[in-house]
Amino acid sequence: MSSILSRLLPPYEKPEPLKPGMYHWMAPEDAPIPYRLHLRVEEDGPSILIVNATTILHLNPTATAHALQLIEGASEESAAEAIAKRYRVSRRRALKDQRELREQIITLATIPDVDPVVFLGMDRAEPYAERPSAPYRLDLALTYRCDPDGTIDPLARRRVDREMTTTEWKQIITTAWEAGIPHITFTGGEPTLRIDLRDLIAFAEEIGQVTGLLTDGRRLADETYLESLAQVGLDHILVALVVEDPTSMQGLKNALASDIFTAVHLTLTPKIVGMVNKTLEELVEVGVPAISLSASESTEKMAEVLSEAREYAASLDLDLIWDLPAPYSTTNPIALELDVPPVGAGRAWLYVEPDGDVLPAQGMNQVLGNILRDPWLDIWSASK
Amino acid sequence: MKRQYFLILLAVSLLLVLTTVPVLAQTYYFSVDEEIVHVYLESDGSMRIEYILVFTNDPSASPIEFVDIGLPNYNYDLSSVYGWINNQPIQHVGKSEYVSPGIELGLQSKAIPPGATGEVKVLIDRVEGVLFDNYDDSAYASAKFSPNWFGSQYVFGKTDLTVTFHLPPGVQPDEPRWHASPSGWPSNQPNTGLDSDGRVIYIWHNPSANAHTQYTFGASFPRSYVPSEVVSKPVPEGELFQPSPPSGIRIPSNMIVSFLFFGGIILVLVGIVALAVNSDRRRKLAYLPPKLAIEGHGIKRGLTAIEAAVLLETPLDRVLTMILFSAIKKGATQVVSEDPLKIERLTPQPEKLRPYEEDFLKAMVDEKPRKRRTALQKVMVTLVKTVQKKMKGFSLRETENYYQAIMKKAWQQVEQAATPEVRSKLYDEGLEWTMLDRDFDDRTRRVFRTGPVFVPIWWGRYRPSTVSTARPSTAVPSTSAPGRSVSLPTLPGAQFAATMVTGVQSAASSMVSNVLSFTNGVTKTTNPPPPPSRSRSSWSSSGGSSCACACACAGCACACAGGGR
């Protein structure tokens, strides 16, 4: 009888909490639409799910457990069984929830322009309203050199007197991954001047990170070079177009012809005000799908120019990108039209200078620490 | 596995024993024909709840002796809970033994017999701790409420369910926000109005609801109307106002006697199973419904009225008419023939015409109906896509509400104008926004039923034939030429309204003869194919539409351009 009772009433034991950390999923190669998921499980069970490195979802602990099953490749049925074992829920209900969650996530990842609140039943969270346990993205300024002659970016700060080695950058990429940062952007200066750019992209991709490149596009005019970046898995390119330079435009065209997602950044200056619409039309003609816009001056006049450019870009069917580490990125169309623009610097992203100093964002000269010398948590705490 | 086999064996044995008591399985079975719930959100942050429940007991069931009602939480005062059965006070009101948190009403001698109908009223005068930080806007407080529901094995039939939220005194009509109706509800939004005390109310009504589904309703309002300390931090969905187990009607006491007949053995078996189940439950974690929240911006401001019309799924013929009016008002075109509609471009063209106005004027040049129709469809495709691009990353629902509020305000200003001059001027200024209203035609007639109307300065470009019938008036400041005064003619209000409304209708039908066909030609390009779904209705709030867009379906006359991320 006692053995029957002990089998019926085994010792009380709660399930182990979900293991905090980063979980990564990439759609199979034969999937009709490729997509990529990063699930960052936090202490106590909630998580952040990053879809295609751009869409941020906040999951409650139950949703986290469901999403983890998806990311670990479990079938719907076995996921439901695992959930029912862990939670006080029937298997049937768990299966229903598992299916719904999969549909929500996969729809979000593969079908554009579906309103996630109205049509997928999600809630909305204000961007960056809550401080995450780690940023969503780390921008790595590999160099402040701007051209092969070694001219230094005028925005570069004088005290940046050296560039880190390949090994050091790899160490930083590893630190970022271990901290739960799923997305790396290589920027500069001109990052394509670093001969180890391909290696660094390959390294980050291999450990599971999404990688992006911000470049003036000149180097991409060399198709072989571009192909070498594509081969190691570079996910996206933002070409800071030098309008008057045909090499930059050629690099853009090459990138658009590749299978790497490519967008263009335009910095609106008083000098090019009269040619913005024409430039946008040309970009559409060559097949640019998305545009990032910023203004070099935060004057009323330039704000108006920026708004008009944004309107015109929409009428040309161009998507708007506003949160990549482009020049003058704080003066963007979204910041203009919101009462309280979301502040991603120091929360959603951080910026590493060529010598390892960490800033909240490009152009914000507040050193939070050095990523080679200081513990990551100290740097992250300093950004509060 | 061995343990599972043992449990199954035990359960089968128990089932065999229990099947000898068929009466027990049929003990309670009833319908809730009508359920009316009033939820008052008071100035002190508390909630007052009033229920009216009309039960019909099945002829084969046992008398309904107890009614248990679930409550949002434990912060209620039992002494302020009252009940009535068929308008007679219920003497026994206590803490429920079966529903937690909840109360029980003992009907005693007034139990509802089999086959009879009874009306139960309940007043829970005060529940505290019911307001939470709004998830979307920190300046707002939110309340959610799920009316009482019953186990599906006990109830049958439809329930005519009405839930009314009375917002705190002082909340202005344009301030609060409703939360979307539950899935499958006839309308995504509640009716709004004022109660007899002048409080803003939201009314959700569904004549075909049921009493076994948990429906959740909610509203948000500026937190300044309640003391700040009564608004708590948000808690995950699922913990708010959900009476734990389904509330129910108790097994009548005479049935319990027959149950006792089976005595000790059954109790022991049941006890072991209960212990095993409880032990299994204790080993597991509490399950809250999975919840996903996406980071995105709120209201997309800066849309024109015409872009807002696309967003609000205004029929496309109406959108085209709005573009026509916009171009006429700007002095870009004038009507040369009303039926069939022909327009001509004016020179010089005004500066800064919107791209859709330019495209529209180009499209209207073609007099061949088929070509013009195709060109107008292209105008609409481009317009819808533009709005889609602009909306990307913004909240569709919040933006829709925002532009609905602008439309309401535009009407309000016109309706409240003190003089005909001011009313005419405001109507002219806000015309694009008032045209967003589905009730534009009737409302225009109502507003201009009496009194003269000072026709707008562009009237001659719109209705050249009626200018001659207008009477000159005294001097009225012109909106287009500050500092100068010109004499604007007047029309009798009714005539103006009739001309306006019929003009809008005839312009629309002249441009688009078959709205459905025209719209289908647009939506097949603008709206994405439906996402693959096995259980779409469970997460779609679009009332079961098979498309990704609520209004992309063939058979409706609009083309939406919502959201995205």
Side-chain angles (χ1 to χ4, degrees), chain A residues 7 15 58 60 62 76 84 86 88 97 100 103 108 118-119 123-125 136 311 317 319 337, chain B residues 3 136 282-285 287-289 292-296 300 389-390 396 398 534 538-539 541 565:
Chain A
R7 275 192 288 170
H58 296 261
N60 71 357
T62 321
E76 289 177 349
R86 182 176 180 80
R88 290 196 285 274
D97 287 348
E100 284 185 6
E103 284 192 8
L108 199 60
V118 174
F119 300 108
D123 290 335
R124 182 178 77 81
Y136 307 147
E311 293 280 314
D317 209 17
D319 277 332
E337 66 180 89
Chain B
R3 178 171 163 256
D136 296 328
R282 284 180 64 198
R283 278 198 307 279
K284 294 180 178 180
L285 301 169
Y287 186 83
L288 297 173
L292 286 78
I294 186 164
E295 286 196 0
K300 167 65 190 169
K389 291 297 173 197
K390 288 187 177 182
L396 173 61
E398 289 171 48
R534 279 181 299 261
S538 60
W539 48 262
S541 58
R565 56 212 179 270

Side-chain angles (χ1 to χ4, degrees), chain B residues 14 162 181 306 353 440 527:
Chain B
L14 194 59
T162 307
S181 305
I306 287 153
L353 279 180
F440 172 80
N527 295 109

Side-chain angles (χ1 to χ4, degrees), chain A residues 15-21 23 39 41-47 60-69 72 83 86-87, chain B residues 285:
Chain A
E16 287 289 314
L18 298 176
K19 192 178 169 194
Y23 300 83
L39 181 73
V41 179
E42 313 282 11
E43 296 287 343
D44 301 327
S47 65
N60 71 357
T62 321
T64 301
H66 276 286
L68 200 51
Q69 293 292 327
E72 289 181 338
I83 295 291
R86 182 176 180 80
Y87 293 97
Chain B
L285 301 169

